[in-house]
Amino acid sequence: LYLACLWATSITYAALDCTTAVNITVPVSECQALVALYTGTNGPWWNVNTLWDTDTNICTWPGITCATIVGQLHVTKVWPTSNGWSLFANSLQWPLHTSSLSGLIYLQELDLSFNELYGVLSPGWSTMTSMRYFDVSDNSINSTLPSSWSTWTNIQYFDVSSNQLTWSLPSSWSTWQSPFMRNGIQTIRLFYNNFTGTIPSSWSTFTNLMIFDADHAGLGGTLPSSLSTWASLRSFDISY
């Protein structure tokens, strides 16, 4: 049994070469980003991995959605697809090497929740300026929240709950809502983490925020009076 387990964790396999493969349906950088996700999170042992890292039609991979943008197919969602395929609760394991995913510059929705990921959240994801829905909840990610994600000015739903995140909440994220944005951030879920400090006063810009859930998240101190601008708020929890 020991030898079998040792073999399973040390086996190597040939990854799809996005630079030489014929008929890749998306830009090489996006293909490489998804191959890196697959190989870096123990892809051969995912619950569902059909077509991943083998079929050059990237847009048919389970959990992947593409859309045509300026005449070119791009990966826009790593999210449950209409046929029910998803990377949600799909046994993704090992460190989350997030920097490689920065190649998905048109990504709008990402759901890697309920897996076995750890590691860091990369500042390099600041390239994903179209991000609207982001969910990496229920993993073991031990990281800080990158201040560079202030570029996510289209974000509406953000969930990093039930991880091991630390340090303070980035004040730079005030850009997630501005007077010129129709929607802006509406849901923030931070519960069960190890943050410090309080909610940044600069987040008073979140005038469309409806849900803020940060119970057992480690936050403390005095709430800024500027948060009175959260007039759309329906649910607010910072309990212990």
Side-chain angles (χ1 to χ4, degrees):
L1 178 61
Y2 171 78
L3 291 176
C5 292
L6 182 63
W7 173 82
T9 57
S10 61
I11 190 171
T12 58
Y13 51 92
L16 176 67
D17 188 339
C18 301
T19 60
T20 60
V22 178
N23 296 326
I24 294 289
T25 52
V26 299
V28 170
S29 59
E30 297 181 22
C31 172
Q32 291 173 328
L34 293 178
V35 169
L37 175 65
Y38 179 82
T39 58
T41 58
N42 206 14
W45 284 271
W46 289 359
N47 295 333
V48 177
N49 61 7
T50 307
L51 303 179
W52 270 81
D53 202 35
T54 56
D55 197 316
T56 57
N57 186 356
I58 310 299
C59 303
T60 64
W61 293 4
I64 299 301
T65 299
C66 298
T68 301
I69 302 173
V70 195
Q72 166 72 59
L73 273 176
H74 291 281
V75 177
T76 56
K77 299 180 183 181
V78 181
W79 197 265
T81 49
S82 57
N83 56 17
W85 285 342
S86 172
L87 298 190
F88 161 87
N90 199 38
S91 293
L92 277 69
Q93 302 171 346
W94 301 346
L96 183 59
H97 298 293
T98 55
S99 58
S100 60
L101 294 181
S102 60
L104 300 176
I105 61 174
Y106 291 98
L107 195 66
Q108 300 173 7
E109 302 178 11
L110 176 67
D111 185 358
L112 300 179
S113 60
F114 288 90
N115 281 293
E116 302 166 46
L117 299 170
Y118 58 96
V120 302
L121 297 173
S122 173
W125 281 19
S126 60
T127 58
M128 300 178 182
T129 56
S130 298
M131 186 70 72
R132 294 184 303 174
Y133 301 94
F134 180 83
D135 191 348
V136 293
S137 61
D138 289 271
N139 281 285
S140 298
I141 300 170
N142 49 331
S143 172
T144 59
L145 295 177
S147 60
S148 61
W149 290 4
S150 59
T151 56
W152 289 8
T153 55
N154 292 291
I155 192 75
Q156 297 178 30
Y157 180 95
F158 184 81
D159 190 347
V160 292
S161 59
S162 298
N163 277 287
Q164 299 171 22
L165 298 169
T166 60
W167 208 241
S168 58
L169 304 180
S171 60
S172 62
W173 289 6
S174 59
T175 54
W176 286 8
Q177 176 72 56
S178 77
F180 307 104
M181 295 169 63
R182 183 178 63 182
N183 294 313
I185 186 68
Q186 298 175 19
T187 299
I188 297 177
R189 300 188 187 276
L190 307 172
F191 58 86
Y192 286 97
N193 277 291
N194 301 304
F195 296 113
T196 57
T198 188
I199 304 171
S201 60
S202 62
W203 286 17
S204 61
T205 56
F206 298 169
T207 54
N208 288 334
L209 187 67
M210 293 186 288
I211 298 173
F212 185 86
D213 193 349
D215 65 284
H216 296 84
L219 297 176
T222 304
L223 289 176
S225 59
S226 59
L227 300 187
S228 61
T229 55
W230 289 7
S232 301
L233 203 61
R234 299 177 183 175
S235 176
F236 180 83
D237 189 353
I238 55 171
S239 61
Y240 291 94

